[in-house]
Amino acid sequence: MTVADEQAAGPGEDGDAPHRVLLDSGWSTAWQPGAVAEAHTGEDRIRALAASGYAALPIPADFGGGGAGLVEVASAQRALGMVDPSAAIALNMHAFTVGLMTDYWKRHRDTSWMLLEGIARSGALVASAFAEPGGSPNFLSSRSEAVQTPKGYRVSGVKYPCSLASTATLVCLTARVTGTDETILALCPSSSPGLTVEGEWPSLGMRQSDTAKLVLHDVELDDRLVFHRGPADVIDDNLISGMVWFAVLLSATYHGVLSGLLDLAHRGVVRADAHGPRTALLGRATRELLTLGGACRQLGADVESGAIAGRAALAAAVGLRATLSDTRDRVLSAVTPVLGSRLYGRGQRAADLLVDSLAVHHHPPSLLMCDEVVGAFCTGREISFDPAG
């Protein structure tokens, strides 16, 4: 099959293929990404997708949102990952953040509903500014500082890498309150004086995810935009909720990316009628993704139903995140002999997806930390994300 054949078929036109009957089963089709002009830049595509209703998907219908639960949002992420990995990984951070905020409101029933309503009514995108330079395995720790002022806080720090850096209307950030052991979680308008976007993420893949560095220098933050305050470096309901949303949505996103790669592999074998050992390799890759998809949806459903909660949910979430990386590598190992040079040729979609899927290993927590957390929970020890602890 030529490059032209591969690209003409398109990554999303295999819905009736037998392998997709397996891989698509159980995933909601309530939201699907609409067509976006190929000439659009990454930022343009992200804005167009947000305007299609994606931005408000996890927000309760009472506040003008889509009212989608965790599994339904994960299904949307998977659908997007199959057709546009860069936009999917960028919007994953918005969905995770808004999902966390929605869950926070459901637990507290406080005034944070006004923030959710504002996001839904305006279609605003929210960047997740938690990561900081240095790649500390202890992602609970924030080096950014918040100094209390009569109207709120004055925040300084660096957030990197941060997707949606230039397309987001709001930035969700964490910072330590100077002179206290408290951390704040707040929304900050991206137009705030003192907040600048610098450079871009020098990545191999996901090149159009609008990922860059955010620098905050004495940014004034209104106290009304702070929706959580709590002790620093503490595992609480907020962190558990955030990790569950992040792990489920991340797994669904890369499930979509890898499903797109399998579309190419299956299509090539069927068209060439070249089976033999290739059939077994495709079967292996497909069952790996089938298992990952089931685990992803099950964790989302169990958390939504209350079947699993607390530290058990946290252990399950980081376990899913680590399994995602393992599954990606096993899928690539199986399809490499099938796709052959298409995985390494410039201009080949298979090669692009190979590189894009490598980003799965970049996301926190680190793989060693994931196994440490699961092991600590299972042996009755206190869970910690501090490698020195």
Side-chain angles (χ1 to χ4, degrees):
M1 182 171 62
T2 66
V3 176
D5 289 336
E6 181 178 292
Q7 292 178 339
E13 297 178 11
D14 294 84
D16 295 330
H19 74 280
R20 285 286 294 278
V21 172
L22 285 177
L23 294 180
D24 294 352
S25 60
W27 295 101
S28 168
T29 57
W31 183 91
Q32 293 289 318
V36 179
E38 291 185 6
H40 283 178
T41 65
E43 289 85 351
D44 288 337
R45 289 204 304 275
I46 289 168
R47 290 189 182 96
L49 287 161
S52 72
Y54 185 92
L57 204 57
I59 297 174
D62 288 347
F63 307 144
L70 175 53
V71 177
E72 190 174 341
V73 177
S75 295
Q77 276 297 133
R78 178 180 180 267
L80 187 52
M82 279 192 283
V83 298
D84 196 333
S86 289
I89 200 62
L91 289 172
N92 182 76
M93 305 313 294
H94 165 89
F96 141 69
T97 304
V98 176
L100 168 63
M101 293 178 63
T102 298
D103 188 64
Y104 183 89
W105 174 80
K106 288 179 179 178
R107 283 184 282 113
H108 295 275
R109 302 286 170 167
D110 60 0
T111 57
S112 61
W113 68 268
M114 292 186 286
L115 300 177
L116 293 170
E117 186 177 63
I119 293 169
R121 300 297 185 195
S122 64
L125 284 174
V126 184
S128 176
F130 298 154
E132 294 180 331
S136 171
N138 184 13
F139 70 96
L140 294 181
S141 182
S142 176
R143 301 184 186 92
S144 300
E145 293 189 352
V147 179
Q148 284 190 291
T149 67
K151 295 184 178 180
Y153 298 90
R154 186 180 301 113
V155 181
S156 296
V158 177
K159 300 294 184 177
Y160 177 80
C162 179
S163 296
L164 302 176
S166 62
T167 48
T169 303
L170 298 165
V171 174
C172 185
L173 57 83
T174 55
R176 285 178 179 263
V177 180
T178 303
T180 74
D181 66 347
E182 187 175 72
T183 295
I184 60 169
L185 185 58
L187 294 181
C188 176
S190 59
S191 58
S192 298
L195 193 158
T196 57
V197 178
E198 298 183 3
E200 64 176 2
W201 186 33
S203 62
L204 295 175
M206 303 291 183
R207 298 299 302 273
Q208 297 191 68
S209 59
D210 188 25
T211 301
K213 179 189 295 182
L214 292 185
V215 179
L216 300 95
H217 181 69
D218 290 338
V219 175
E220 296 291 343
L221 189 64
D222 193 305
D223 191 63
R224 290 171 295 181
L225 296 178
V226 178
F227 65 91
H228 176 70
R229 299 172 179 82
D233 303 334
V234 170
I235 295 174
D236 56 12
D237 289 342
N238 229 31
L239 182 136
I240 293 169
S241 171
M243 182 53 64
V244 167
W245 273 82
F246 181 69
V248 170
L249 297 188
L250 190 73
S251 298
T253 299
Y254 283 98
H255 193 282
V257 175
L258 294 171
S259 293
L261 187 62
L262 274 188
D263 284 349
L264 301 178
H266 279 276
R267 191 187 305 150
V269 168
V270 171
R271 285 185 176 180
D273 197 23
H275 297 278
R278 293 177 176 84
T279 304
L281 291 171
L282 290 178
R284 181 188 307 169
T286 302
R287 68 172 171 79
E288 288 285 357
L289 273 192
L290 185 64
T291 302
L292 175 68
C296 177
R297 294 193 308 274
Q298 189 64 54
L299 177 58
D302 285 348
V303 169
E304 288 189 300
S305 70
I308 189 171
R311 279 164 166 70
L314 177 63
V318 297
L320 176 64
R321 183 265 169 275
T323 297
L324 169 62
S325 281
D326 291 343
T327 300
R328 180 267 172 197
D329 289 347
R330 290 195 295 266
V331 168
L332 263 296
S333 176
V335 300
T336 294
V338 178
L339 289 167
S341 62
R342 282 181 287 165
L343 284 172
Y344 308 105
R346 186 174 300 160
Q348 297 275 3
R349 179 167 175 78
D352 291 341
L353 291 174
L354 165 68
V355 176
D356 284 345
S357 69
L358 275 171
V360 73
H361 301 314
H362 165 79
H363 301 283
S366 68
L367 299 181
L368 282 176
M369 186 55 64
C370 288
D371 287 340
E372 171 65 26
V373 167
V374 176
F377 175 79
C378 292
T379 55
R381 293 170 49 232
E382 185 64 28
I383 292 175
S384 171
F385 287 93
D386 184 354

